[in-house]
Amino acid sequence: GLATLVPLSCEKKAQDTVAEDTTTVASNDAIADNALTDEEKAEGWELLFDGTTLNGWKRYNHDSIGPLWTVADGAIKCDGEGLTEGTANIGGSLITIKQYGNFDLKVEWKVSPGGNSGIHYHVVEKPEYKHEFDTGPEFQVMDDAGWKGDPLKDAQKAGSNYDMYAAPPTKKLNPVGEWNTARIIYNNGHVEHWLNGEKVVEFEEGSPDFNERYKKSKWTEYPGWNKFKTGSIALQDHGAPVYFRNLKIKAL
């Protein structure tokens, strides 16, 4: 009798363990994607994306969202058919309707092979501005290794403040198809970019260093660039499929 009891109890224990593990995985996933933890709620974080709709978003300089931006598998997806940056009627970057001044923003992103996109802040819509980058500085999102265009300057690679401050070559960038985490902190002109948990860029707007870099950048040709200190968060249409999820922001 004893010999048969032992396997039974072992088997039951194995089943219990499996059931327990599955539950844990499921509940962690539910908390992880496009939801706030109790701690985050207490700290004042808000979700920019509910995981199923594009409520709270619009296309730059358009009233509609258009067919370019959709929700797929719990992520905001840009299908890459917008002929880049709003040149076609369906194109154009996606921006939050709500505007932010000082903030802490966290986003997960992944790009397609050779893909290019960005996360902009302090984006303002006016008839004289055609694109989100006319006003909003950019956290660069891209496949550094797979880029097929002109050779990239360091300040055009992932994690950089585009054409101003380069993320270091030692940064941790996950390969195409895997999620990366971006974090942008803007507080009264003090700016930080974080990539996959590491601070990769930090600067002060208006500092001598900032002003020198600005003079050598393409932004001197954009009179509205970085002039507004309150504006929308934007996800860039740059003609490549790109995905965003877990977009969370806290006003500072």
Side-chain angles (χ1 to χ4, degrees):
L2 192 58
T4 52
L5 276 174
V6 175
L8 276 173
S9 59
C10 286
E11 187 178 294
K12 183 175 184 336
K13 189 167 189 305
Q15 282 172 346
D16 286 351
T17 315
V18 169
E20 193 176 277
D21 287 354
T22 336
T23 322
T24 317
V25 169
S27 62
N28 281 350
D29 278 354
I31 292 167
D33 286 341
N34 307 309
L36 295 175
T37 63
D38 291 339
E39 189 180 7
E40 285 172 328
K41 288 176 189 166
E43 289 172 356
W45 289 88
E46 61 179 290
L47 272 182
L48 289 178
F49 170 54
D50 62 19
T52 51
T53 73
L54 292 175
N55 293 346
W57 295 84
K58 69 188 290 295
R59 201 156 38 113
Y60 187 79
N61 275 350
H62 289 79
D63 295 326
S64 67
I65 285 170
L68 176 70
W69 294 93
T70 54
V71 176
D73 300 324
I76 296 176
K77 178 188 178 187
C78 178
D79 71 13
E81 298 299 318
L83 303 179
T84 86
E85 304 174 347
T87 48
N89 189 40
I90 62 165
S93 299
L94 197 66
I95 68 169
T96 58
I97 293 167
K98 192 169 173 182
Q99 302 202 334
Y100 299 88
N102 293 332
F103 62 85
D104 188 344
L105 172 71
K106 296 178 188 173
V107 179
E108 288 184 29
W109 59 270
K110 65 178 177 179
V111 291
S112 50
N116 181 351
S117 180
I119 303 160
H120 298 254
Y121 57 91
H122 295 163
V123 169
V124 170
E125 289 179 298
K126 287 189 175 181
E128 62 265 36
Y129 303 133
K130 301 293 180 235
H131 309 106
E132 78 299 322
F133 59 77
D134 286 346
T135 55
E138 175 183 7
F139 180 112
Q140 175 71 325
V141 164
M142 79 178 308
D143 170 19
D144 290 355
W147 174 247
K148 298 284 192 283
D150 294 333
L152 295 170
K153 295 191 290 188
D154 288 344
Q156 295 173 319
K157 294 180 180 177
S160 299
N161 184 276
Y162 190 87
D163 211 32
M164 287 289 288
Y165 285 87
T170 51
K171 70 192 178 191
K172 292 179 193 160
L173 182 63
N174 295 329
V176 161
E178 290 184 23
W179 290 99
N180 289 277
T181 60
R183 185 178 189 181
I184 306 169
I185 301 172
Y186 184 94
N187 198 358
N188 296 320
H190 179 82
V191 182
E192 296 178 16
H193 284 194
W194 294 68
L195 179 67
N196 294 322
E198 290 183 341
K199 182 160 59 178
V200 291
V201 164
E202 183 171 18
F203 62 89
E204 297 287 336
E205 288 181 341
S207 65
D209 177 56
F210 180 91
N211 293 337
E212 278 306 306
R213 288 168 187 257
Y214 171 74
K215 284 177 200 163
K216 295 173 187 165
S217 78
K218 66 183 278 186
W219 304 122
T220 54
E221 299 165 30
Y222 294 82
W225 184 80
N226 203 37
K227 296 295 185 287
F228 302 93
K229 298 306 157 197
T230 301
S232 299
I233 303 297
L235 308 177
Q236 188 179 46
D237 160 30
H238 206 299
V242 62
Y243 304 82
F244 301 93
R245 70 178 185 189
N246 292 326
L247 295 99
K248 302 173 181 185
I249 196 164
K250 178 171 71 169
L252 300 177

